[in-house]
Amino acid sequence: MAPMVTPRLGPDTLDALPAGIRQPGYDRAALRPGVLHLGAGAFHRCHQAEWTDDALEATFGTWGIVDINLRAPDLAGQHGGQAGYFCRELRHVGVRERRLVGAVIDTHTVTNAATLTRALELAAAPAIRVITMTVTEKGYCHTPATGELNAAHPDIVYDIAMPDAPVSVPGFILRALSLRHERGVPFPTILSCDNVPDNGATLRRCVIGLARLSAPAMVPVLEQQGRFLNTMVDRIVPATREADRAAFAAETSVRDEALVVGEPFRMWVIEDPYNSTLPPWHLAGAIVVGDVHPFELLKMRVLNGIQTNVSALGLIGGFEFMSDVMAEPRFRDFARRTMTREVLPGLPDVPGIELPAYVEQSIDRLQNPELRHSTAQIVTDGSQKIRQRLLEPIRACLALGIVPHGLLLGTAAWMQTATGTDLAGRPHEATDPFHPRIRALADGAGSDARALVGALLSIGDIFGDDLTADAAVVDALAERLDGLRQHGVMAMLEAAIRA
Ligand code: CS2
């Protein structure tokens, strides 16, 4: 007998889904493309796409989403093979809520010249009035320490030589906007939804910076007509695991290759000085403000700050998931004290948010035992994350005369993970665009913690040039890295808690 094959989620299997799974409450057949999204990973599906379903239910409009990946994974193996449908599952203690999302009506992956041309045509189509993007920090091709375009980035070098066939995100946006300009099609509003400081402004600088080098006639056009919005997005959405998909299939008898699992909490703050026409996301709780900066600082320094500060410590301490890290009372204590003593004093007031309560809420979110967010996933690409999450808060402490014990310990731990070896010198995988450079410096430093700290701090593209010149910072980092190697993670956590 042939083995039973679980049918895949799609238009033909919707009726088979259990009644408990909420289905789109609008006429999906009437959707037309309105939004184009770049970088359709788990976060996008569990945030912008779900949010758009809410908006469509509140007030219907032609705001279907076209998802584009400029590189792998091929979306055909995900919701692209399911007519755009996927389920999102929210989990926390006592919460498990599944919902079918219908807002994505087309998907497209760039794999060669022909698919790139098609993707550019999709982005140049007059029907697209909004472009959103989640391409991760490194997708911006900027220098982390300055937020300026890195003109030496291999993808940017390529796009300067071949502007009609771009491989980078700034190159793709520049080409799509150039096509629209040539054809007299108005520019869409572009919303950056990545954890990059001043994300929209950074994208604008990178696109205009690239135009200066490859399409100078576009510079004044972009300066006058480009609408790049800064936004703050928030929801913890770990990479989906095969165990999640298998459990879904076992419980529903339908296999969803694009399933996403996230937390109930979500937030979206949009700074829109242009009063743009957007899907009615505000009807579903998105907040439109005049200045997103305080919200961005809060989220990157507290929620992301705790994640980055404890994930490297957790990883080298042998903890696989964030929920395991935060289940350990010493880590919770450490996170709370670091935030309260070192981070909150440097934050501005945030409209409508009480900072100590936000810290407690963040800790609760991060210890959510129903999510499996790996410490390694958060450590990934740390060179792109630490400026906004650890280094700026350290600078704020130094300016206020506060010794950043906790932030320094997290930074020292990150330095250890970035070398690709654990505390005992055993190799582990480090995924980071700076890894080859860091590895070479680590080889030069050998087992000397001070030499390693000095060498890494001299990477100005990550650390700027102020910290390496501050002897107290160099000493403190070297002492903590050495302490981690000599005494281990828990002893150093305890010392930081006592400090
Ligand atoms: C995480 C974020 O991997 C990471 O960088 O810190 O994806 C984080 O979970 C989200 O920013 C939460 O909104």
Side-chain angles (χ1 to χ4, degrees), residues 43 195 233-236 299 303-304 307 373 377-378 385 389:
F43 182 80
N195 291 322
V233 292
D234 197 2
R235 172 168 265 173
I236 298 174
K299 192 256 174 168
L303 190 273
N304 293 144
Q307 285 178 316
H373 200 187
Q377 190 186 350
I378 300 169
K385 300 175 181 173
R389 300 182 183 195

